[in-house]
Every structure is written in structure tokens, then in C-alpha cells.
Amino acid sequence: MAITGQYINLDGIKVYYETNNGPKNPLGTIVCLHTAGRDCRQYHGIMDIFADKYEVVAFDMPAHGKSWPLPGNKAIYDYRVYGQFCWRLVEALGIENPVFIGCSVGGNMMYHIAETYPIKAMVAMQASTYIKAMGTAYGTTVDLLDNPYVSCQHSHWDFSESLMGQKCPPEAHDFIMWGVCQECGRAKKGDLSIYNNFDVTGELDKITCPCLLIRGTDDWNVPDHYYETAIKGLVNAEKVYWEKVEG
């Protein structure tokens, strides 16, 4: 597999993205959104799997990984701005028929992006159409992520590890935890502020593309009822699949 990484200037921000240099498939190009606080390396496995079938593109959101932050060294705190940025990048790269994949905050964003932009299909993992935790005790912990007396990496170590299923291979476990070690508190705060102040349930009927919802059975953070709510609202989607993955 030959992964190519490069930069594109988008609205004055240097954005890092990678591609697997896969073939242009008329069924679409796979576009991947990383989890909260992380970067596009999470999708190297997907790039490998589809190397002979699809072009796969993954990128670091502003203030994440190798991408520059917003002016003033800021991250994105609004899901609408997040969605606009993703779509602007798709347009700038000339991607046609994008099939969006996302997990965590990227998974939540699948619903908003599918409601708002003409995508070919979407895959949402560990995703919810609504989570309103900001303003609660948990929301306070999110606010502390950019506090100089709080270590973002250490404060999220056990939490991140708890989200891995029992079938997670040791090498994947090590890679995930190394990523936790590299997280930026300001970027993570932006992502979790979006994740925990999110509700697009009332607009799910705008989604018409095929939707694949994936839940790991060991995932305690996003239980079944979030997926059930999504499925009830996806009344106009071409197809809806809900896949439960053991572990």
C-alpha cells in the first residue's frame, strides 16, 4: 500500500490529508473523518482494505495532527462550521460522489453532513443524532481540557481505553493509546464541545442517501437507543443498515 500525504490550502488554513491512491470508482470516493482529538492515521487500515477497489481520502481537521489551527490557534466548536469545512475540502479536492465515514464526533457529523450536503452514502460509527451534555458536570470536565493544570492525555487515558472492545488486537490497542498520548487539549475540547452539544434529530428526514450504522457491542458510551432513535428518523433514506459488531 502506498499512502500519499500532502497539504492543501483551504480558506487560508494548511490542511493535511492522505490518500491510498486507490482507483477512481464510479460508486464513489471514501472520505474519512477521525475521532475526537485524533488524526487521519486512524484510517490507514481502511485505506489498506480498499486499496484495490476505492480511492480513500482522510484528513486532519484544523488544529489536529499535521493541520494548522484556525486563526488565533483555535479549533472548531460548532458542528455547522465543522460540516462546512469538510464539504469545502471535498470541493477543493474535486471529489465526486463522496461516501463519508466517521466515528465518535466524526460519526455524529455523518448525520449533519448527510442532511445538508449531496453525499453518495454515509457510514456512522459510535454515533448519535443527539447528545446534550454541555452545561452538566460532564460538560465541566470538557471545559477543563484546555486548562493549564489539566493533562488532556492523562485525564482521558482510562476513558479512551474503556471504549475499546474486548476483541481489539494488542497492536491496535497500542496505536490507539499512543494517539491519546499525542492529543491536544484545545483540539479535544473543540471536538467534545461539538459532540456533547449536538442535536440534528429533527432533520433526519432530509437524509436520502444509503446509511450504514455500526455499533460495537462493547460500546457503553453510545448504547442501542441512540441508534434506534436515528433509524426512526431516517424515513427517507434510500436504505438503512444497522450492523452490530461483536467486541
Side-chain angles (χ1 to χ4, degrees):
M1 175 182 61
I3 294 177
T4 299
Q6 54 190 311
Y7 282 94
I8 185 172
N9 193 304
L10 184 65
D11 301 331
I13 300 169
K14 290 177 67 175
V15 180
Y16 178 76
Y17 71 96
E18 295 180 340
T19 175
N20 68 342
N21 296 291
K24 298 287 186 181
N25 191 313
L27 295 178
T29 295
I30 299 173
V31 180
C32 309
L33 302 188
H34 57 72
T35 64
R38 298 296 300 278
D39 58 65
C40 66
R41 289 177 298 172
Q42 291 181 316
Y43 287 100
H44 282 189
I46 297 293
M47 289 183 172
D48 191 13
I49 290 171
F50 292 114
D52 297 329
K53 297 179 180 179
Y54 294 93
E55 179 183 29
V56 181
V57 176
F59 58 93
D60 297 342
M61 287 296 291
H64 296 71
K66 295 182 179 181
S67 288
W68 262 238
L70 301 182
N73 287 337
K74 296 180 180 179
I76 294 175
Y77 279 73
D78 186 288
Y79 72 86
R80 299 171 188 84
V81 177
Y82 193 117
Q84 290 169 1
F85 189 90
C86 294
W87 191 251
R88 286 279 293 110
L89 184 63
V90 165
E91 291 180 324
L93 294 177
I95 295 174
E96 298 180 356
N97 298 322
V99 176
F100 269 84
I101 294 178
C103 182
S104 175
V105 64
N108 283 20
M109 285 304 305
M110 291 302 98
Y111 295 111
H112 171 65
I113 290 173
E115 290 170 351
T116 312
Y117 302 100
I119 67 176
K120 185 69 176 292
M122 73 161 215
V123 181
M125 301 173 284
Q126 199 190 37
S128 172
T129 63
Y130 67 96
I131 296 179
K132 303 291 284 186
M134 298 306 289
T136 67
Y138 181 76
T140 301
T141 67
V142 172
D143 288 333
L144 288 171
L145 285 173
D146 195 27
N147 188 295
Y149 293 101
V150 174
S151 166
C152 169
Q153 298 88 351
H154 292 89
S155 65
H156 270 73
W157 185 267
D158 291 340
F159 175 79
S160 298
E161 196 163 36
S162 75
L163 296 176
M164 283 183 270
Q166 59 184 321
K167 292 188 177 181
C168 181
E171 61 273 16
H173 172 277
D174 289 347
F175 169 73
I176 292 168
M177 298 313 294
W178 181 246
V180 174
C181 292
Q182 296 179 309
E183 290 180 346
C184 167
R186 187 167 297 183
K188 185 104 175 189
K189 178 181 176 180
D191 290 343
L192 291 184
S193 295
I194 292 173
Y195 186 82
N196 291 289
N197 190 29
F198 186 83
D199 190 351
V200 297
T201 309
E203 299 180 281
L204 290 174
D205 59 350
K206 295 180 180 179
I207 297 177
T208 57
C209 68
C211 303
L212 172 60
L213 315 182
I214 299 177
R215 178 180 183 270
T217 55
D218 289 346
D219 179 14
W220 61 266
N221 192 45
V222 186
D224 282 354
H225 68 83
Y226 285 107
Y227 293 86
E228 292 164 354
T229 297
I231 291 169
K232 288 179 182 178
L234 292 170
V235 293
N236 293 318
E238 181 180 333
K239 294 180 181 179
V240 179
Y241 300 96
W242 181 16
E243 184 74 19
K244 294 186 180 182
V245 180
E246 291 296 324

